[in-house]
Amino acid sequence: MVIDVLFVINSVLLGVGLAMDAFSVSLANGLREPGMGKGRMCAVAGVFAGFQALMPMLGWVCVHAFVERFTAFSRLIPWIALILLCYIGGGMLLESLRHKDTQEDGDSGAVSVPALLMQGVATSIDALSVGFTIADYELPPALLCAAVIATVTFIICLAGLLLGRRFGMKLAGKAGILGGVILIAIGLEIFITGVA
């Protein structure tokens, strides 16, 4: 396979499409933690980018190793995303409602590492199916495509975090509630489009 401008454009567009859920979750994380520093923002965006690169490659491996089993598993993807995002969003909502009186500064706390990893899986699990799209690529182009997807995701997630952080300062104690609602809505959207 020849790596040309069209390959790069397709990879970038694929990255943009896959990163939209991660962007929304990043926005919610920025709302929840308006005091987030640059290093943490890069780490959070890096987690999403890493999962968005890993999942298509995992899908690529699945296609090359055991296509039939992966096809059966792909039907579970919307359910897994729905459960994970509703769990995380519901927890964020409950936490925000319980501590509403004590949150005057609008910072409802940093997203924990386990919750961030669950967000990364939930927002990138649909990227497993991209393994079918890039199945005819040899390993080097598939890795390059995954790297482009990761780069695009990283940039888009940083933008989401910056927007969320900015509006999180203005929304004060309501940021955690809004963030939880956004996560649940993303889970529902992935589920509805995935089973349709």
Side-chain angles (χ1 to χ4, degrees):
M1 157 168 210
V2 178
I3 296 173
D4 56 7
V5 175
L6 187 60
F7 170 86
V8 174
I9 291 170
N10 286 339
S11 298
V12 168
L13 291 175
L14 200 54
V16 170
L18 290 173
M20 288 301 101
D21 292 333
F23 168 80
S24 299
V25 175
S26 295
L27 184 68
N29 287 342
L31 284 168
R32 179 178 183 170
E33 191 182 343
M36 187 183 300
K38 291 178 184 174
R40 178 152 169 80
M41 288 173 64
C42 288
V44 170
V47 167
F48 289 116
F51 275 108
Q52 289 289 11
L54 176 68
M55 291 298 184
M57 288 311 300
L58 191 56
W60 184 88
V61 169
C62 288
V63 168
H64 288 274
F66 36 88
V67 174
E68 292 171 11
R69 291 184 191 144
F70 180 72
T71 304
F73 172 76
S74 67
R75 286 179 240 153
L76 297 175
I77 289 173
W79 290 94
I80 294 168
L82 175 68
I83 291 167
L84 288 175
L85 286 172
C86 284
Y87 174 77
I88 297 164
M92 192 184 291
L93 265 173
L94 286 174
E95 181 183 328
S96 295
L97 291 172
R98 284 185 189 144
H99 301 292
K100 196 171 162 185
D101 298 333
T102 60
Q103 293 174 359
E104 298 297 323
D105 61 355
D107 195 348
S108 54
V111 176
S112 67
V113 172
L116 181 60
L117 293 175
M118 284 175 43
Q119 288 176 352
V121 170
T123 58
S124 66
I125 197 162
D126 58 336
L128 273 170
S129 58
V130 172
F132 285 127
T133 306
I134 62 172
D136 59 337
Y137 293 2
E138 294 176 10
L139 184 59
L143 287 170
L144 180 59
C145 180
V148 171
I149 289 169
T151 303
V152 169
T153 300
F154 183 83
I155 293 166
I156 288 174
C157 288
L158 274 180
L161 288 165
L162 285 167
L163 280 171
R165 192 175 74 164
R166 179 175 178 165
F167 289 109
M169 293 290 194
K170 294 178 180 176
L171 291 173
K174 295 173 182 63
I177 295 170
L178 182 59
V181 170
I182 289 172
L183 292 182
I184 292 170
I186 294 166
L188 289 170
E189 182 268 329
I190 291 172
F191 177 75
I192 291 166
T193 57
V195 296

